[in-house]
Amino acid sequence: MKSIIFFDIDGTIVTEDERAVIPESTREAIKETRKIGNLTFINSGRTAFNISPKVKELGFDGYICGCGTYIEYGGKVLLKRTVPKDECIRIAKLLRECRVTPVYEHSDGYFFDDKATMTDGLRYFMEVFVDSGIDVSGRVEDDDFGFDKFVIWQNENSDMELFRREIGKSYSIIDRGGGFYENVPLGFSKATGIETILKLLDIPMERAYAIGDSMNDLPMLQAVPNSIAMGGAENIYPYVSYITTPIEEDGIANALKHYGLI
C-alpha cells in the first residue's frame, strides 16, 4: 500500500538561510520514494506563489500552502480560500492600532503597510524577496489588497494585549519566536490540509508521514502517527515520533530510510 509524506519547506527541504540549499541527498530521497509509488506533498506556511521553482522541480504530487488555505493536487486547485475584502480592511486597520508590523500573504502575492514600523525582520524578508525576484510593490491601499493569512513583528511600542485579544477571535496565532507571529484563519491549518488530502485519496492515517522543523509545523506533526523533526529543531522534539539528523546531514534521506520509505 502506498504511503504519503508531507514536507515543510524552510529548514526541512531547503536550508533556512541566505544560501537556500537543497541537499542532493534530499533530491534523491524524494525521487526514490516517488519511484516506488509513495506520494509526496509540500505542506507549508508559504502561500502558493512563493513556492520556488527549485522546490517544485523536485517533483511533488501536490501542495498544501498558506497553512491549509490552499490545496493543489495533480496540477488542479482543490481549495483556495482568501479572507473577504471587508475583513482584510478591518484587520489592516486593527493592526495599525496594535502598532505591529505586518506582511499580508495572498496566494498571488504579498502586501505591505508603509505606515508600520520597519523592523529588522521585515527588512531581512524584503531583501530576500527582492533577491528572489518577488514583487514587493503591493500595499494595503491597493484596490486588489487581500490576504489568505498574515505575519507580524512586534516592537517596543506594540500593544500585544490588544493584538492577542482581537486577532485571537478569528485567527490562530502561532508564536514563531523573536517577536514574530504567524496568523491563520480559524479552521485552517497544516493539519486540515492533510485531512482533506487523505480523505480525497482514501489513504489511511497510519500511512501518513510529516516532516518539519518549527512550531508552525505542530498541527501537521500532531495530526499524523508518524511525525519527524529535523535535527536541531529541539523545540519540537517533545511532539514527534522520530528525530532525524540535520538538513545538511542527510536529514530527509535518513528519515525516509528509518521508516522504510526508500
Side-chain angles (χ1 to χ4, degrees):
M1 182 180 294
K2 71 176 64 174
S3 295
I4 185 167
I5 312 153
F6 298 91
F7 299 86
D8 175 49
I9 296 178
D10 299 295
T12 301
I13 294 291
V14 182
T15 58
E16 200 164 17
D17 54 31
E18 63 276 2
R19 298 174 302 140
V21 171
I22 300 177
E24 187 59 33
S25 62
T26 295
R27 297 178 186 275
E28 290 302 315
I30 292 172
K31 180 180 179 180
E32 186 174 346
T33 198
R34 296 187 74 222
K35 187 175 181 179
I36 62 176
N38 295 322
L39 299 175
T40 59
F41 274 71
I42 284 294
N43 195 347
S44 177
R46 293 191 186 198
T47 48
F49 89 99
N50 196 22
I51 307 297
S52 68
K54 71 177 182 180
V55 169
K56 289 185 175 182
E57 71 183 13
L58 297 178
F60 291 97
D61 295 285
Y63 300 86
I64 299 169
C65 301
C67 292
T69 58
Y70 175 99
I71 301 175
E72 178 183 323
Y73 171 61
K76 295 182 179 180
V77 177
L78 306 181
L79 171 70
K80 184 177 181 181
R81 198 274 185 178
T82 294
V83 174
K85 181 72 172 184
D86 58 347
E87 171 70 358
C88 291
I89 294 172
R90 185 186 75 84
I91 291 297
K93 181 179 179 180
L94 175 60
L95 295 189
R96 284 177 175 176
E97 294 176 13
C98 295
R99 298 184 297 280
V100 296
T101 301
V103 174
Y104 299 99
E105 302 173 273
H106 190 278
S107 56
D108 297 324
Y110 286 144
F111 293 90
F112 303 86
D113 189 345
D114 289 335
K115 294 186 178 181
T117 300
M118 174 59 73
T119 65
D120 290 340
L122 176 59
R123 185 175 292 108
Y124 174 75
F125 263 49
M126 294 189 79
E127 289 173 354
V128 170
F129 294 158
V130 170
D131 289 344
S132 301
I134 294 174
D135 183 8
V136 295
S137 64
R139 294 296 184 270
V140 295
E141 292 83 9
D142 295 351
D143 290 339
D144 61 345
F145 168 60
F147 61 84
D148 305 342
K149 59 186 282 281
F150 63 94
V151 297
I152 65 105
W153 289 266
Q154 70 177 92
N155 58 71
E156 63 274 10
N157 297 314
S158 297
D159 187 341
M160 294 306 291
E161 181 180 350
L162 175 62
F163 174 81
R164 290 188 177 91
R165 183 177 71 245
E166 295 301 319
I167 295 301
K169 294 176 181 178
S170 305
Y171 297 82
S172 296
I173 302 171
I174 305 168
D175 186 350
R176 300 293 299 275
F180 180 58
Y181 298 85
E182 188 169 20
N183 308 277
V184 183
L186 293 177
F188 296 88
S189 70
K190 292 186 175 185
T192 63
I194 288 177
E195 293 166 4
T196 298
I197 290 299
L198 293 184
K199 183 177 181 180
L200 172 71
L201 301 179
D202 194 26
I203 296 176
M205 182 62 77
E206 60 266 24
R207 303 299 299 177
Y209 300 77
I211 309 177
D213 74 303
S214 66
M215 293 302 289
N216 83 331
D217 294 319
L218 281 185
M220 77 167 180
L221 295 172
Q222 294 177 322
V224 301
N226 310 297
S227 54
I228 303 159
M230 298 300 291
E234 291 89 352
N235 58 335
I236 62 171
Y237 284 1
Y239 308 100
V240 299
S241 309
Y242 179 69
I243 301 166
T244 188
T245 50
I247 183 172
E248 293 190 88
E249 295 177 22
D250 303 329
I252 293 296
N254 288 334
L256 299 192
K257 287 176 183 175
H258 173 78
Y259 282 104
L261 297 168
I262 57 175

